[in-house]
Amino acid sequence: AVISLLFSCSYAVSSKIEPFYKGGKVQVSFKDEKYIFCTCGSRVTVLEISTGKVVHSVEHDDQEDITSFALSCDDELLVTASRALLLKQWDWRQAQCTRSWRAIHTVPVASMTFDSTSTLLATGGCDGTIKLWDVVKQYCTHNLKGSSGVIHLVQFHPDISRLQLFSSSLDCGIRLWDLRSSQCVCVLQSHYSAVTSLSFSPDGGTMVSSGRDNICTVWDLESRKAKRTVPVYESVEGVVLLPKSKDFSQIGVKNQELHFITAGSKGILRVWEASTARCVYTQTLTTASENEVEEEEKDADSRSLMYLLHLPASSRLATVTAEHNILLYQLPDLTTQQQFVGYSDEVLDVKFLGKDDSHIVVATNSSQLKVFDLLTNSCQILYGHTDTVFSLDVFKKGFLFASCAKDRSVCVWQMDSGSGQVCCVARGSGHSNAVGSITCSKMKASFIVSGSQDCTVKVWDLPADVTATGLGVHQLTARTTEKAHEKDVNSVAVSPNDKLLASGSQDRTAKLWSLAGEGNLGLLGVFRGHRRGVWTVCFSPVDQVLASSSADGTTKLWSLQDFSCLKTFEGHDASVLKVIFVSRGTQLLTSGSDGLVKLWTIKTNECVKTLDGHQDKVWGLHGSRRDDRMVTGSADSNITVWVDVTEVELAEEQAKREDQILKQQELFNLLQEKKYLKALGLAISLDQPHTVLTVIKAIRQAEDSSELLEKTVLKLRVDQKESLLQYCAVWNTNARNCQDAQVVLQVLLTHVPPEELLQYQGARNHLEGLIPYTERHMQRIGRLLQASMFLNYMWQKMRVAGAPSSMGQDEEMDTTPLAQPFFTIDREKEVEKEEEEDEVSITQKAKGVRVENGKSAKTNGTQHSESEESSDEEEHEDEMDQTRENVMKRLPVSSATQCQTAAS
């Protein structure tokens, strides 16, 4: 048992980071501001801000994508609209649909909103119409026509007594609807592009609109005219008016004039003074490429903001980026409070990070890196690369890690051990193509090695003070560059002693290099044997072996001494993308394109466990330093943390065995004490049909067995009777146990009403299974009864032949059966028939009488031809000879001798 604990046998999911927002509308709960509502395909997910976890989710049964949704101002009602043109009202806390109705729109609903009383719901369709619904009385109140194109914005005036609705469509005008007359009062014309958001002042007299035409317009709602047009020099997606009652001096608000915040394509928040159209504050984002204008322009698309939401109760702002990230800022200083990643797209690599592996760093199909706190799911988004990050590796202590990307650069990042904040400390570039793999030195943070699609491997030395704070970003230069392979370098790995380097390539080979010298890399040998490109290479932490995984679906172990293949592991149906050593180098974990993670024991070449937790390629696989957890990242956008549960499962199994032994002993004691009801209940609770059968047999062997069995079975609970019926169906398939099954079945069928019996779980299937076997047992026992009666008859006649001569041939035969049959047969008619035919010879009786189902039937008395009679006599003589031989075999030796003498 101690040796077996050295090997891992099973992993269980500890936690998951799943996508919860894939674009579309985002809304925050109004009253408590604790939840964020997001669209995610055919679902609306509810994210709890404090924990960063999805706590509720509502989904349409038809799997149609949700086009829009709205949460009522009292946080009670959630209404969703799908492409199936259905509106559904939800109790979102219970994830139950309380009502659904046709949207009446001829095309999908594009926008929705509730009024402040949570009574009226406005829906704007792609057909240019607006419908208003009374959700309390459940009917359509207004049908507003006149807009052109898609209604992408509907919003009630905050003062519901005005009964005004604002809308915007493709004609770029803002329509003001009077709900009393159902007429469009006016069209506010100022924008030349789509209007994206509206924000109202607390008194309801001023409104600010934003558009993608790079302007914001301040409107006087009393005169319904534009007071000011503010050029903001970016496509604006969201605008929020700042309340005048609070101090916002930290963000440039120096007077009581009207100020508003904008969010747009530049990815930053800016504060504007409405009266002067002047920007008084611009948010700054620190990046590694802050001074490089070209890279900032490339990075702008991923940073652009799509929504800006105001949380007045907690004085916060929420922004949603084009990369599906949700960021929360605290007013008045606009400090970043929390960040959530709604959708990561493909996860390309993932590594444990921090003290006790408290964080994970993730490379996705993006130029940004994400660092997740596993406890709270809060995320830091790291800007430094300008194109997709491909690979990651972490130094030994866990606070320093390196990344490489498609932008041909490598970066080194440091996590602050106290605050957990991560910043870029070093950066290097020099490859002529995308850098696909990177690895760190194992002994101390002295160098990194990168492999690129330009077929080269570079070694980068790190400065000694790379971890010192306040020194800015170090510029790295490559110590050496080596043309390593003929095709892309997919993987590089450094040995535990920092003296060897392994590289795997698309050219189907892996190579071993010496890192000992200060000059160029020295080639030590080539590993040949894979039939496709090599995806990953990995050194064993204890042995002089190298593991490699390939697109040919195999994983191989190689000797570092003679470069021979030691073992090959086959089991994946597709490319093996990653391989790592676990359990102190005695086992391997591999992940493949088939979405599976497999655990292998090296000594036996056996696949111990297959973990099916992903739906797409598993690119990321990493084990914790304590060897008790691993993390996987997949192209299905899911990140899963697995925990080793081998010891837990062994302990549970041991406890289960001990409990079984105790229960078996208790069962034995109950049987000894003849407490059959408790014994039967305990046996059923063990879910062991054979044990239950043993108890039934014990009951049948007791005195007054039929009454005792009936009394015991009928006292069982309904669920126990269900199990007993199921066991009967199993026992009945075996001739040895069929009598026990039939006895129990007789009790159930006799005393349990058919209606109640049919309510048992699986009762119909069990009863259908009982019928054919019961018929077979009936036929078998019928044949056995016929044979026993014939044998009894033969035995009586043989005894008569050896009797004194005073006994006459017409002496009545003893027809008492040898053993009491289980199925009773009416014997009265049989005796009467035998008395009537007492004068008939033995031969004629054997020819003319046939016993069927306990009744004698005469054969047809029609005249037979001589040939038929002779053939019948021959057949009868053969049957008699065969019967005589069978009888002689069954009789004791003395009886057999006597019979032979009598026969002669």
Side-chain angles (χ1 to χ4, degrees), residues 16 593-596 612-618 634-638:
K16 268 189 174 186
S593 295
D594 49 11
L596 302 177
D612 188 4
H614 294 285
Q615 305 299 320
D616 209 337
K617 302 179 184 68
V618 183
S634 168
D636 61 8
S637 189
N638 287 324

Side-chain angles (χ1 to χ4, degrees), residues 71 79 106 143 205 297 310 336 386 467 479 492 569 581 628 758 874:
L71 179 70
V79 177
T106 56
N143 184 17
E297 289 175 355
H310 186 211
T336 305
T386 57
T467 58
R479 180 217 302 175
V492 286
F569 303 90
F581 284 88
D628 60 345
L758 289 173
E874 289 173 0

